[in-house]
Amino acid sequence: MKTDINAKELRSMWLKFFADRGHTVISSASLIPDNDPTVLFTTAGMHPLVPYLLGEKHPGGKRLTDVQKCVRTGDIDDVGDPSHCTFFEMLGNWSLGDYFKKEMIPWSYEFLTDEKYLGIDPDRLAVTVFEGDEDCPRDEESAALWEKAGIKKENIFYLPKEHNWWGPAGVTGPCGSDSEMFIDTGKPKCSPTCSPACHCGKYLEIWNDVFMQFNKTADGKYEPLKQKNVDTGMGLERTLATLQGKKSVYETDVFTPIIAEIERISGAKYGSDEETTKAMRIIADHIRTSVFMMGDEKGISPSNVDQGYILRRLLRRAIRFAKKLNIGVGELAKVAQVVVDEYADVYTELATNNARIIEQLDIEEQRFEKTLAAGEKEFEKVAHYLVGDTLSGKAAFKLYDTYGFPIEMTVELAAEKGLKVNVDDFKKAFAEHQAKSHEGAEQKFKGGLADHTEATARLHTATHLLHRALKTVLHDENANQKGSNITEERLRFDFTFPRALTPEEIKQVEDLVNEAIKADVEITCEEMTVDEAKAQGAVGLFTAKYGEKVKVYTMGKYSKEICGGPHAKRTGELGHFKIIKEQSSSAGVRRIKAILEY
Ligand code: SER
């Protein structure tokens, strides 16, 4: 087994293995999903590929491989233990309606066991397959393929949906039964029925092959997909820890330089006691995730809503734990810099946005310092006069609203004093406030296409025409898309622009879009390199690597944009375009709501 493999080697070994088997290497997508309005962050390697798993053609072909940056903040409170991270990299490969189980399982076996690759002893591998239910049959085929490849029959386990089903990444989307691969640590079985399902620590998961054949709909049904896909994912950090024989991901080479810097600026030692170790893991994890958020190609900034709120929560929690280790204000920037330096060769956006990352961190730290002092005083006062042991939701809301205390922090501070917080009441107060300040669910910006119906595709096409028309009418090529949210009924489009549009401008934009619709031009899609797209004046985020292919949608002379689709076939399919609202979305960002009338 390759026990001395490091992160760099594992990434390149993975990409080369699949490139050698006809896969196109694609770059990691942004941490903010384009195509999923149901979640805030990219949570898995397959997430940015959803349109292609649903049948859109990918410019890289039918076989793809990548290393995708992912964020999962569901278990943020578990960070500090040996295995939880809010950010991770996922090594992935995909078949978009191309190969299936009989190719994928032998490849998985080869990558895991061959001396040229991970060199794991086959007898130390255990695999799981789907036991079958009313949605999908028992996966005898995968079990037979594993056995044929060299896995012992007793190391193949049949498990139910709860364990052997993956997806969708959000609420709806592609999913299917899977086959997971585990390293057997050699520990004795915890019981006669011990299996990879029991999480006793005997089996450690390293890879997951998903056989994606279904689309889960909003009403919870599983519809067969047009094509059979394979989606596999190997968590980089977790696999490194397993191979390197480390008890914790924080002890692998992805974290050691970050932890070393925290040790240096704090003067404390990782591993010296439980509390110090936990604080260092939290700081290392949260700063690493924050760096990737602030340095993302879509640049997240700390704020009180959505992605910005998660970022603020991570930064503020890191700052609080830094204080516990006597790390001075301004010192965390040094930890952030180590993260940038460690990752910039793989994620070049971190180098490009280096100054922005450090600046945002400093600003948030200073802002938090100011509110923290006042807030802690307020907290002490409230706690002092408290009757009983539960802080009211109203008091917690005041701490949030006036002092910028994330609720989780109030809960933590309270717990330190043996107090509880009425979180339900806090949530009520929070919801009322959201509604009042027009920042409620309706306004919450999640981005992307709600589904892939023709009606939604037509509004998506209208969004492209709108984007171009805005740039033209406002004489501003920097009036760039900040996000979109498109359903069958309407489109929402956010773009950077410093002021409200005049009624004349709104009319001109509508006229320009309607002119394009009347012209009934054909909508064509071409594949080209990012540089060619740029040279042709296509609109879009130019984040893909040099030479990498992208899809460019052209609508006559009216629009040219890098995009994954889907779109209408001709502009004439669209009804009459009408803007129903133009308003501010956030500082420097405007929001347009529009419909198509038939
Ligand atoms: N989507 C699957 C996972 O996240 C495999 O890539 O595990």
PDB file of all heavy atoms in Angstrom, residues 44 46 72 90 166 208 210 231-233, ligand 1:
ATOM      1  N   ALA A  44     -20.643  18.091  -3.885  1.00  0.00           N
ATOM      2  CA  ALA A  44     -20.027  16.860  -4.390  1.00  0.00           C
ATOM      3  C   ALA A  44     -19.498  17.116  -5.792  1.00  0.00           C
ATOM      4  O   ALA A  44     -19.907  18.072  -6.461  1.00  0.00           O
ATOM      5  CB  ALA A  44     -21.045  15.728  -4.432  1.00  0.00           C
ATOM      6  N   MET A  46     -20.143  15.620  -8.464  1.00  0.00           N
ATOM      7  CA  MET A  46     -21.142  15.514  -9.525  1.00  0.00           C
ATOM      8  C   MET A  46     -22.032  16.748  -9.624  1.00  0.00           C
ATOM      9  O   MET A  46     -22.723  16.950 -10.613  1.00  0.00           O
ATOM     10  CB  MET A  46     -22.016  14.272  -9.348  1.00  0.00           C
ATOM     11  CG  MET A  46     -22.786  14.141  -8.034  1.00  0.00           C
ATOM     12  SD  MET A  46     -24.200  15.240  -7.826  1.00  0.00           S
ATOM     13  CE  MET A  46     -25.372  14.447  -8.890  1.00  0.00           C
ATOM     14  N   ARG A  72     -19.390  21.290   2.701  1.00  0.00           N
ATOM     15  CA  ARG A  72     -20.580  20.776   3.383  1.00  0.00           C
ATOM     16  C   ARG A  72     -20.573  21.354   4.793  1.00  0.00           C
ATOM     17  O   ARG A  72     -19.649  21.099   5.556  1.00  0.00           O
ATOM     18  CB  ARG A  72     -20.554  19.240   3.465  1.00  0.00           C
ATOM     19  CG  ARG A  72     -20.776  18.577   2.114  1.00  0.00           C
ATOM     20  CD  ARG A  72     -20.874  17.061   2.221  1.00  0.00           C
ATOM     21  NE  ARG A  72     -20.775  16.479   0.878  1.00  0.00           N
ATOM     22  CZ  ARG A  72     -20.663  15.174   0.636  1.00  0.00           C
ATOM     23  NH1 ARG A  72     -20.648  14.310   1.638  1.00  0.00           N
ATOM     24  NH2 ARG A  72     -20.582  14.717  -0.604  1.00  0.00           N
ATOM     25  N   MET A  90     -12.882  16.482  -3.794  1.00  0.00           N
ATOM     26  CA  MET A  90     -13.370  15.180  -4.222  1.00  0.00           C
ATOM     27  C   MET A  90     -12.778  14.815  -5.577  1.00  0.00           C
ATOM     28  O   MET A  90     -12.896  15.567  -6.549  1.00  0.00           O
ATOM     29  CB  MET A  90     -14.887  15.200  -4.285  1.00  0.00           C
ATOM     30  CG  MET A  90     -15.449  13.810  -4.457  1.00  0.00           C
ATOM     31  SD  MET A  90     -17.224  13.775  -4.200  1.00  0.00           S
ATOM     32  CE  MET A  90     -17.307  13.152  -2.568  1.00  0.00           C
ATOM     33  N   TRP A 166     -27.034   7.015  -3.579  1.00  0.00           N
ATOM     34  CA  TRP A 166     -26.445   8.343  -3.499  1.00  0.00           C
ATOM     35  C   TRP A 166     -27.268   9.354  -4.286  1.00  0.00           C
ATOM     36  O   TRP A 166     -27.670   9.085  -5.411  1.00  0.00           O
ATOM     37  CB  TRP A 166     -24.997   8.379  -4.011  1.00  0.00           C
ATOM     38  CG  TRP A 166     -24.323   9.582  -3.419  1.00  0.00           C
ATOM     39  CD1 TRP A 166     -23.628   9.641  -2.248  1.00  0.00           C
ATOM     40  CD2 TRP A 166     -24.369  10.912  -3.932  1.00  0.00           C
ATOM     41  NE1 TRP A 166     -23.238  10.924  -2.002  1.00  0.00           N
ATOM     42  CE2 TRP A 166     -23.670  11.720  -2.999  1.00  0.00           C
ATOM     43  CE3 TRP A 166     -24.924  11.509  -5.048  1.00  0.00           C
ATOM     44  CZ2 TRP A 166     -23.511  13.098  -3.175  1.00  0.00           C
ATOM     45  CZ3 TRP A 166     -24.778  12.876  -5.233  1.00  0.00           C
ATOM     46  CH2 TRP A 166     -24.068  13.650  -4.299  1.00  0.00           C
ATOM     47  N   ASN A 208     -16.599   5.791  -3.721  1.00  0.00           N
ATOM     48  CA  ASN A 208     -18.001   5.491  -3.954  1.00  0.00           C
ATOM     49  C   ASN A 208     -18.294   5.512  -5.452  1.00  0.00           C
ATOM     50  O   ASN A 208     -18.060   6.524  -6.110  1.00  0.00           O
ATOM     51  CB  ASN A 208     -18.850   6.559  -3.233  1.00  0.00           C
ATOM     52  CG  ASN A 208     -20.330   6.296  -3.336  1.00  0.00           C
ATOM     53  OD1 ASN A 208     -20.758   5.241  -3.789  1.00  0.00           O
ATOM     54  ND2 ASN A 208     -21.122   7.269  -2.912  1.00  0.00           N
ATOM     55  N   VAL A 210     -21.207   5.512  -8.008  1.00  0.00           N
ATOM     56  CA  VAL A 210     -22.666   5.636  -8.088  1.00  0.00           C
ATOM     57  C   VAL A 210     -23.117   5.259  -9.501  1.00  0.00           C
ATOM     58  O   VAL A 210     -22.564   5.762 -10.481  1.00  0.00           O
ATOM     59  CB  VAL A 210     -23.141   7.076  -7.765  1.00  0.00           C
ATOM     60  CG1 VAL A 210     -24.666   7.145  -7.761  1.00  0.00           C
ATOM     61  CG2 VAL A 210     -22.579   7.554  -6.437  1.00  0.00           C
ATOM     62  N   ASP A 231     -21.035   7.961 -11.678  1.00  0.00           N
ATOM     63  CA  ASP A 231     -20.492   9.104 -10.944  1.00  0.00           C
ATOM     64  C   ASP A 231     -19.699   8.539  -9.795  1.00  0.00           C
ATOM     65  O   ASP A 231     -20.247   7.837  -8.956  1.00  0.00           O
ATOM     66  CB  ASP A 231     -21.661   9.947 -10.413  1.00  0.00           C
ATOM     67  CG  ASP A 231     -21.327  10.672  -9.106  1.00  0.00           C
ATOM     68  OD1 ASP A 231     -20.183  11.123  -8.963  1.00  0.00           O
ATOM     69  OD2 ASP A 231     -22.222  10.771  -8.246  1.00  0.00           O
ATOM     70  N   THR A 232     -18.395   8.753  -9.797  1.00  0.00           N
ATOM     71  CA  THR A 232     -17.650   8.237  -8.650  1.00  0.00           C
ATOM     72  C   THR A 232     -16.966   9.367  -7.905  1.00  0.00           C
ATOM     73  O   THR A 232     -16.648  10.403  -8.489  1.00  0.00           O
ATOM     74  CB  THR A 232     -16.608   7.146  -9.022  1.00  0.00           C
ATOM     75  OG1 THR A 232     -15.314   7.756  -9.130  1.00  0.00           O
ATOM     76  CG2 THR A 232     -16.988   6.405 -10.280  1.00  0.00           C
ATOM     77  N   GLY A 233     -16.764   9.152  -6.616  1.00  0.00           N
ATOM     78  CA  GLY A 233     -16.127  10.178  -5.804  1.00  0.00           C
ATOM     79  C   GLY A 233     -15.260   9.577  -4.718  1.00  0.00           C
ATOM     80  O   GLY A 233     -15.671   8.659  -4.022  1.00  0.00           O
TER      81      GLY A 233
HETATM   82  N1  SER B   1     -21.599  11.662  -5.728  1.00  0.00           N
HETATM   83  C1  SER B   1     -20.945  10.614  -4.991  1.00  0.00           C
HETATM   84  C2  SER B   1     -20.400  11.090  -3.671  1.00  0.00           C
HETATM   85  O1  SER B   1     -20.379  12.262  -3.412  1.00  0.00           O
HETATM   86  C3  SER B   1     -19.853  10.005  -5.822  1.00  0.00           C
HETATM   87  O2  SER B   1     -19.125  10.988  -6.477  1.00  0.00           O
HETATM   88  O3  SER B   1     -19.984  10.278  -2.891  1.00  0.00           O
END
